[in-house]
Amino acid sequence: MAKRNMKRLFKANRVYSVKQVCEICGVTKNTVSGWVKVGLHPSDVTKPYVFQGSSLIAFIEAQSRRDKRSLRLGEFKCFSCRGVFWPDAVAIEYMFSTKYRNVQVRANCDSCKTCATKLLNATQWDSVQKCKNTGASLDTIDEGKAGFKAKTGIKQITSENIFYYSNDRLLHGYIVFMGKYATKTIDAHLIAIREFERFSKGVVFKQITPQLVAQYREDLIQRGSELSEDAISNSTIGHRASQLRLFLTWLLKQKGYRSLDQTLPEYLDLPKAQMAKVKPAKEKVYPTLSEAEEMLRSMPKATRLDRRQRAVFACAFLTGLRANALAGLRHRDVDLQKSIFVQDGTNGRAKNGKSYRGRFFPVPETFLSVFTEWVNEMETLGARRDDAVFPTEQSLIQNRSPGVQPRKPFEPLKGADVVRQAFAVASKNTKHSYHPHSARHCLAAFGVELCRSEKEFKAWSLCLGHEDIKITRRHYGHMDEETCFEVMEIIETERNETGDEKDLILEFALQELHPRDPEYEKAKALYNARIGKPSKR
């Protein structure tokens, strides 16, 4: 087994084929077969095997624990696959003796068939020879000095972590079907399916009934109605139901499952009356543009890494890109002269592999100035079109002197940690801890206030990467409770408008009016007059 921590490469809810395990671990099929012999638990006995991620993680952890203890006399350590094995006594071969009467012996690894060697003293070699002559097992030599030899594989099952294996081969096919989606989307769907599997106590999916699906739906709603901190929100309930509904729709089309009740997905429809009692989704907190500008000004800029953080924060509000897209941004994706940016879905960083072009948002000049200064600094260091806009720290160190030749490429960030860290630094002196997605919520709310027509808001939504304008309205820029109360207080204290005009102001403030509504412009003018903002003509 390789030295790297391979258990992090597997996910507990997923199902892996032998080929996938070989590719992830960098081993051969024979090695995987050897792992099965020494305790790796396949999901079923059908070949080719498939393995649940939880079994692979448990097996790797068990092998790691064995690596950290001292070997017993009859045990050998294979430095090729990192496994520990017990060969038959007759399979141990004598190699040579040292001048101190120590004996070098060898035996073939059970997993990868690689030759492993071991140095024994004279007494130990005599014990091995005795086992060879009598046919006794090697683990009887030092019996009682260590725990007995046992196979390793399935992790100890607890009430918090229960996995079933009867549906794994089917789920492997579903994972292949879901290949067009992003990794996070697939993982979210598998969480919902595994939760349903645990709820049904591992029922084989060929035996799913409408009553079972309906009971799971009621359980979701019940957990949302609880008053404890573990209660799930209506957003989580909706996602779990829709994810399981998609799986059941796919399941009903598979060979051997078409005899199931065709109405199964419909039993996951959520009743509005009961959902009204469910815990609401957590309020989305985001800064205003003026607050974000103050946060940007307060960020340190003494070192190059500090300036990179400031540029990351500024670019988030300038382009509205998600964290992973920001991390993978390259110089060819940004045109400062035309104020255009590109989200390149081919680099694997964009959500669902989406590519689109957009213009910089009309945010305060400070954001553009900070970002432009960083791009110019990178160009001074010799950055080219294919280099990362926000390179790794190692790349910045290697290319810290301008004009150094030959220059190494500026590698992009491996993940979104630096982006999240930039927002954490910016939020240091604020009452809220903002995250990268806060910038998108801020821009969506700003667009609702700024855009005067459906056409304008459609363009705004497209620059956020939303093909459907409803996504921007439904999921972004919601009014928080504090702002809502402020609007209500204004309506309560001001008595100049008629009752109908007050209703219009309230509907506009709560974003209940559509730009195509005939009273939209009137409501907007009344609202702007209330808050002291001049109307644009």
Side-chain angles (χ1 to χ4, degrees), residues 172 227 393:
H172 184 262
L227 299 178
E393 181 178 358

Side-chain angles (χ1 to χ4, degrees), residues 370-398:
V370 169
F371 181 64
T372 302
E373 288 174 2
W374 173 254
V375 173
N376 291 337
E377 183 175 348
M378 289 298 300
E379 290 177 350
T380 303
L381 294 175
R384 303 188 183 98
R385 281 177 49 82
D386 292 334
D387 286 327
V389 175
F390 307 114
T392 62
E393 181 178 358
Q394 185 64 29
S395 291
L396 289 174
I397 293 173
Q398 291 173 345

Side-chain angles (χ1 to χ4, degrees), residues 15 33 82 149 163 172 177 190 193 221-222 239 257 265 293 297 305 328 336 341 367 391 411 427 473 480 494:
V15 183
S33 298
R82 310 293 295 177
K149 180 180 65 171
F163 290 94
H172 184 262
F177 166 75
L190 289 174
I193 296 169
I221 297 173
Q222 177 62 33
H239 279 95
Y257 295 85
E293 186 177 12
R297 293 181 187 276
L305 292 180
L336 293 176
F341 67 91
F367 293 93
E411 298 294 336
S427 307
R473 293 189 182 281
D480 58 32
E494 294 287 343

Side-chain angles (χ1 to χ4, degrees), residues 252-405:
L252 293 173
K253 298 177 182 178
Q254 305 309 303
K255 185 177 180 180
Y257 295 85
R258 295 168 188 164
S259 60
L260 290 171
D261 193 314
Q262 296 296 307
T263 64
L264 284 177
E266 298 176 18
Y267 283 86
L268 288 165
D269 293 341
L270 300 171
K272 292 183 179 180
Q274 287 181 274
M275 286 297 293
K277 305 175 184 178
V278 171
K279 174 185 174 182
K282 186 181 293 186
E283 185 179 283
K284 295 180 174 66
V285 180
Y286 55 89
T288 63
L289 270 179
S290 58
E291 290 172 341
E293 186 177 12
E294 287 301 316
M295 291 162 62
L296 178 60
R297 293 181 187 276
S298 66
M299 294 179 71
K301 54 182 177 181
T303 67
R304 187 165 289 158
L305 292 180
D306 290 338
R307 294 192 291 276
R308 183 187 65 178
Q309 284 187 335
R310 295 180 81 237
V312 166
F313 186 80
C315 188
F317 286 88
L318 199 61
T319 63
L321 290 172
R322 291 178 171 85
N324 279 317
L326 282 171
L329 197 66
R330 297 181 184 271
H331 284 270
R332 64 170 181 262
D333 300 329
V334 179
D335 189 336
L336 293 176
Q337 299 297 325
K338 297 181 180 179
S339 299
I340 291 175
F341 67 91
V342 176
Q343 176 174 290
D344 186 3
T346 61
N347 64 15
R349 297 294 185 90
K351 182 179 180 181
N352 292 330
K354 184 190 299 182
S355 296
Y356 71 92
R357 286 161 54 89
R359 283 186 65 87
F360 293 163
F361 288 95
V363 293
E365 186 66 25
T366 309
F367 293 93
L368 179 60
S369 176
V370 169
F371 181 64
T372 302
E373 288 174 2
W374 173 254
V375 173
N376 291 337
E377 183 175 348
M378 289 298 300
E379 290 177 350
T380 303
L381 294 175
R384 303 188 183 98
R385 281 177 49 82
D386 292 334
D387 286 327
V389 175
F390 307 114
T392 62
E393 181 178 358
Q394 185 64 29
S395 291
L396 289 174
I397 293 173
Q398 291 173 345
N399 301 286
R400 58 187 173 186
S401 300
V404 174
Q405 296 294 337

Side-chain angles (χ1 to χ4, degrees), residues 1 28-39 59 63 78 81-85 108-114:
M1 196 173 297
T28 64
K29 292 182 179 180
N30 288 339
T31 299
V32 177
S33 298
W35 289 349
V36 173
K37 293 178 181 178
V38 297
F59 175 76
Q63 291 293 89
C78 176
C81 69
R82 310 293 295 177
V84 177
F85 65 97
N108 290 330
C109 174
D110 294 337
S111 298
C112 64
K113 307 305 179 185
T114 302

